[in-house]
Every structure is written in C-alpha cells, then in structure tokens.
Amino acid sequence: NISLKNRLAKLEQALRKKDELADNLHVIDFEQLKIENQTLNEKIEERNEELHKLRKKTVTTVQIITHMREKIQFVQHEYGSLKGELAELEQGLAAQRDLVAKTKHERDEHRTDSGKLRQQTSIMNSEHLTKDFETRKDHISQLEEDIKQLKQRHKQMVAFVKSHGGTV
C-alpha cells in the first residue's frame, strides 16, 4: 500500500509538473496567439483603410464619368447646332458665289458692249474732233445770226425803196 501511495504521490507530482508545464505552454501559446491576432487585426485595419480609399476613388471616378457624360451630351448638342449653322452659312456662301459669278458675267458683257460702242463712236471720243465740232457749231450760229441781220437789213432796204416809189 505504501508503495502504491508513494507511487501515486510521484505520479500526482509528475502530473502537477506536467500541468504547470502545460500551463506555462498554454500561456506561451496564448501570448503567441495574441501577437498573431494583433498582427492580423492590423492587417485587417490596413485592408479596411485601402478598401475605404478605393471606395472614395470609385465614388470620385463615378462622379467624373457622370460629368464627362453630361459634357459629351452638351458638346454633341452644341455640335449639332453648329453643324446646322455651318450648313446655313455654306448655303449662303454658295448663293453669294453664284451672285458673284453672275455679276462678273454681266460685267464682262458690259465691258464687251462698251468696247463695241467705243469702236463705233471713236470719232465722238476724239478731243480734236470735239473741238472742231464746237468751233463749227459756234461759226454756224454766228453765220445764222449774220443771215438774220442781213435779212432784216434787206427787208428795211426793200421797204425804203418801196416807200420812195421804186420797184424792186
């Protein structure tokens, strides 16, 4: 019995040492798990911060894309109105070009007609001939005046002769 009691005491003591050793190991394992847990919590926090930054970037990017879509719609609308205005201006330009071509054609016709008339009336355009014409016109007027005066004088003479009993 005593030997069994001694043996039991030794086994209990060994069991206590093992429990103490196991407790020490559990404490070490617990501390190690705590450290690992802290590290993993830090990693989770970093990932959450990265996720938050990415969400902010996503929101910003969505806002930019929305703004760009609105701007594209505005620019397309403006492009359409400018395209219509350009078509109107091109029509006006074509009409003006037609008018210029027509006017140039008329001008050329008038130049041709004017050239023909100048050739036909080249005598009228001569300065020397114009002076001669004016001189002759003045001379004819003077001669007509002289004829008138002479006819008046002739009339007076005939009246004088008749009044003095003569015949003409």
Side-chain angles (χ1 to χ4, degrees), residues 121-155:
T121 61
S122 62
I123 295 172
M124 297 291 275
N125 292 333
S126 171
E127 240 183 81
H128 180 54
L129 291 176
T130 305
K131 275 186 178 180
D132 184 50
F133 174 76
E134 291 294 325
T135 306
R136 285 180 185 256
K137 185 177 163 187
D138 290 343
H139 182 67
I140 289 172
S141 294
Q142 184 64 42
L143 288 175
E144 286 174 347
E145 186 66 32
D146 288 347
I147 289 173
K148 197 190 242 182
Q149 286 177 0
L150 288 173
K151 280 183 181 179
Q152 183 72 25
R153 175 122 194 226
H154 179 278
K155 205 182 207 183

Side-chain angles (χ1 to χ4, degrees), residues 60-71:
T60 305
T61 305
V62 167
Q63 288 175 347
I64 290 172
I65 289 172
T66 304
H67 176 71
M68 287 300 175
R69 283 184 182 153
E70 289 173 357
K71 192 169 186 176

Side-chain angles (χ1 to χ4, degrees), residues 8-140:
L8 181 62
K10 280 185 184 179
L11 284 175
E12 283 179 357
Q13 195 175 7
L15 187 59
R16 275 188 214 125
K17 281 185 181 179
K18 282 185 179 180
D19 277 343
E20 285 177 19
L21 187 60
D23 279 343
N24 284 340
L25 284 176
H26 285 302
V27 170
I28 291 172
D29 283 344
F30 177 74
E31 289 298 321
Q32 195 172 13
L33 287 174
K34 242 171 100 176
I35 292 171
E36 280 182 40
N37 192 21
Q38 182 70 24
T39 305
L40 290 174
N41 280 337
E42 287 174 2
K43 282 186 179 181
I44 288 172
E45 187 64 33
E46 287 175 8
R47 301 296 165 136
N48 282 339
E49 286 176 11
E50 285 180 31
L51 183 62
H52 181 70
K53 287 178 184 177
L54 288 174
R55 282 188 179 148
K56 280 177 85 174
K57 270 189 178 179
T58 304
V59 167
T60 305
T61 305
V62 167
Q63 288 175 347
I64 290 172
I65 289 172
T66 304
H67 176 71
M68 287 300 175
R69 283 184 182 153
E70 289 173 357
K71 192 169 186 176
I72 286 172
Q73 286 177 346
F74 173 76
V75 168
Q76 285 175 338
H77 178 71
E78 192 173 329
Y79 172 74
S81 64
L82 288 175
K83 193 173 180 182
E85 188 177 332
L86 177 63
E88 289 176 17
L89 288 174
E90 284 178 348
Q91 281 181 335
L93 178 63
Q96 290 295 324
R97 284 183 177 161
D98 290 344
L99 180 63
V100 166
K102 183 180 175 186
T103 306
K104 282 184 178 181
H105 182 69
E106 288 176 1
R107 179 199 63 196
D108 292 342
E109 285 178 358
H110 289 299
R111 279 186 181 169
T112 304
D113 292 345
S114 175
K116 287 178 184 176
L117 287 174
R118 279 191 188 132
Q119 284 178 346
Q120 290 173 358
T121 61
S122 62
I123 295 172
M124 297 291 275
N125 292 333
S126 171
E127 240 183 81
H128 180 54
L129 291 176
T130 305
K131 275 186 178 180
D132 184 50
F133 174 76
E134 291 294 325
T135 306
R136 285 180 185 256
K137 185 177 163 187
D138 290 343
H139 182 67
I140 289 172

